[in-house]
Amino acid sequence: MVSFLRDLICPACRRTFADRPARTFCQECGRTLVARYDLEQVKEKMTRDRLRARPPDLRRFEELLPIREARSQVSLGEMETPVLRVNDPELAPRGELWVKCDGSLPTGTFKARGMAIAVSKAKELGLQSLFVPTAGNAGAALAAYAARGSMKALVFMPQGAPESAQRQVEAYGGELRTVPGHIGDAARVGREEATRRRAFDVSTLREPWRAEGKKTMGLEIFWQMGREGMPSAIVYPTGGGTGLVGMHRAFTQLRELGWLDQVPRLYAAQSEGCAPVVEALRRGAEQVTPVKDPRTEAAGLRVPSPFSSEDILGAVRATRGGGVAVKETAIAPAARRFMAAHGISVARETGTALAGLRQLREEGAIDPQERVLVYNTGLWVG
Ligand SMILES: Cc1ncc(COP(=O)(O)O)c(C=O)c1O
Ligand SMILES: [Zn+2]
């Protein structure tokens, strides 16, 4: 195992921290701590030939991931996921459309990426019990990885979270509680219980390692599409925002290593029923304003007040990307049409990104001849 992890830094006050003992977020600034790596060492040791010789899985870029000890790896065999080109004149009249499909990951969504790394790191740090409030999929992923790592998972979901996610948590032996309201309510109630039970909180962006796992989204896209073949824009269904933060970090590191010229523009797609990130981008705000009554059937996007939203907004702005809010009634039809046209299973969340892409083209934010990638975060459920 080779990791060139150096330390953690708060992006606001610039205080630095060692990676052990287990860290949450900067208590002064309320911001997610960002892992820093010794990029000079990475430059020297992480050669293309070495990468090519490794199995095509999540840990291929181990130098840029935070796990130091092989024996603390908690793995369910997270193989590289397909990136498929589709011919879709409606969505890409003259350009190219690519879809990165994470449905083949353990538990069926991209949440496996973050949890594989966060649970491995938790193992390395000697933690035994982990807590997450979730709209659904992160709970299933946590329960699976915790079982694999012989740890306990405490999962709080809003009532009305998808049945399938609830049943998965239980089947993997996780302890599930449901709470009236939204994910923020589940977090509030769950956190008290977690503190009492000494379960470490792996909520989105409140600890440093899930976002590091999500970096593999960007690293894989780069590895599969190549320097010359990279998309100029990526549309991403945004809830808690870790995917955007992770991809941005990956592309930035690749650019610092001299491997990538241009970071793709990142677009956050949300439902009009819950679009705090898109609203904040539109207003030019530093932080999101919490949505009072979040409503969307894309359960993973029902996040009214994402934590450390400065980082999410910062990632989008740094790439000169943007946001798009789509009508709730457009989401499922966009997913179904796409599935019927291409045979690719896409989550409702992805339906939001597909409908978003159409709108971004109509608005002129994305040109017809561009090479665009839609991130398909999971499988269709229903
Ligand atoms: C299928 C799916 N897509 C997208 C998201 C949003 O992810 P992020 O937290 O990276 O914004 C979620 C989160 O629950 C999800 O389950
Ligand atoms: Zn700070």
Side-chain angles (χ1 to χ4, degrees):
M1 223 50 246
V2 187
S3 168
F4 290 120
L5 176 66
R6 196 164 69 197
D7 58 9
L8 290 160
I9 186 166
C10 168
C13 69
R14 310 299 294 173
R15 277 205 303 158
T16 59
F17 305 85
D19 59 325
R20 66 172 58 227
R23 306 283 175 191
T24 54
F25 51 92
C26 178
Q27 302 298 315
E28 299 289 315
C29 314
R31 296 281 293 273
T32 312
L33 297 177
V34 182
R36 290 196 298 186
Y37 294 79
D38 185 341
L39 291 183
E40 286 309 311
Q41 287 270 13
V42 176
K43 222 177 233 173
E44 200 178 304
K45 305 273 168 53
M46 194 181 80
T47 62
R48 279 180 176 70
D49 285 343
R50 283 206 181 140
L51 291 180
R52 232 175 260 126
R54 292 179 188 162
D57 67 19
L58 191 87
R59 290 162 181 84
R60 184 173 233 164
F61 287 79
E62 62 181 22
E63 288 86 349
L64 288 173
L65 292 172
I67 314 303
R68 300 187 195 275
E69 300 164 3
R71 66 189 156 87
S72 52
Q73 291 282 9
V74 181
S75 167
L76 290 163
E78 305 79 19
M79 304 313 285
E80 185 177 274
T81 64
V83 57
L84 303 171
R85 181 165 176 187
V86 294
N87 182 11
D88 193 317
E90 270 190 46
L91 291 174
R94 274 170 282 148
E96 291 176 23
L97 177 59
W98 295 76
V99 189
K100 174 79 172 155
C101 297
D102 273 5
S104 55
L105 287 168
T107 70
T109 75
F110 80 122
K111 294 281 175 187
R113 296 180 185 274
M115 287 304 178
I117 297 303
V119 173
S120 295
K121 194 68 188 175
K123 184 110 197 143
E124 191 176 291
L125 297 171
L127 302 172
Q128 275 151 12
S129 185
L130 304 173
F131 154 72
V132 80
T134 166
N137 292 323
L142 175 63
Y145 282 94
R148 179 75 167 150
S150 308
M151 286 182 245
K152 275 193 73 67
L154 179 60
V155 178
F156 276 68
M157 280 188 206
Q159 276 170 11
E163 271 296 310
S164 60
Q166 297 195 30
R167 299 292 82 81
Q168 273 204 77
V169 170
E170 288 171 340
Y172 287 122
E175 188 177 332
L176 174 69
R177 307 277 181 81
T178 55
V179 172
H182 53 67
I183 189 173
D185 301 309
R188 196 168 30 74
V189 178
R191 209 156 278 139
E192 282 174 25
E193 176 84 10
T195 308
R196 210 164 341 113
R197 307 248 304 258
R198 298 189 185 204
F200 185 76
D201 187 352
V202 294
S203 301
T204 304
L205 295 179
R206 290 176 84 101
E207 57 75 54
W209 310 118
R210 279 175 66 195
E212 287 300 293
K214 296 286 178 73
K215 238 165 56 180
T216 61
M217 299 160 65
L219 297 172
E220 253 175 54
I221 290 171
F222 167 76
W223 187 252
Q224 292 172 303
M225 300 186 78
R227 188 176 199 145
E228 307 302 327
M230 281 291 283
S232 51
I234 295 178
V235 187
Y236 180 76
T238 303
T242 26
L244 288 172
V245 169
M247 278 192 286
H248 178 241
R249 243 184 241 171
F251 295 140
T252 309
Q253 285 172 354
L254 288 168
R255 195 176 53 191
E256 282 173 38
L257 293 169
W259 287 27
L260 183 67
D261 309 305
Q262 184 72 38
V263 173
R265 307 194 314 282
L266 297 176
Y267 288 92
Q270 300 194 298
S271 160
E272 281 182 353
C274 182
V277 172
V278 177
E279 281 306 311
L281 286 167
R282 213 163 268 160
R283 283 184 291 113
E286 288 289 312
Q287 293 177 343
V288 301
T289 303
V291 173
K292 289 229 171 54
D293 182 20
R295 282 167 199 260
T296 172
E297 62 165 328
L301 310 190
R302 194 165 164 252
V303 184
S305 183
F307 186 74
S308 204
S309 59
E310 296 93 329
D311 298 316
I312 306 167
L313 300 167
V316 171
R317 288 190 178 121
T319 66
R320 301 178 178 280
V324 61
V326 306
K327 290 222 169 332
E328 185 62 23
T329 48
I331 295 174
R336 284 176 182 280
R337 185 201 72 84
F338 192 83
M339 283 174 63
H342 305 294
I344 299 171
S345 178
V346 295
R348 278 183 173 73
E349 287 80 356
T350 307
T352 312
L354 291 165
L357 169 57
R358 187 186 292 261
Q359 224 162 288
L360 287 165
R361 284 203 195 282
E362 284 164 8
E363 291 167 9
I366 294 180
D367 288 336
Q369 71 280 4
E370 278 191 69
R371 181 181 295 139
V372 180
L373 183 139
V374 168
Y375 210 103
N376 178 17
T377 46
L379 299 173
W380 172 262
V381 179

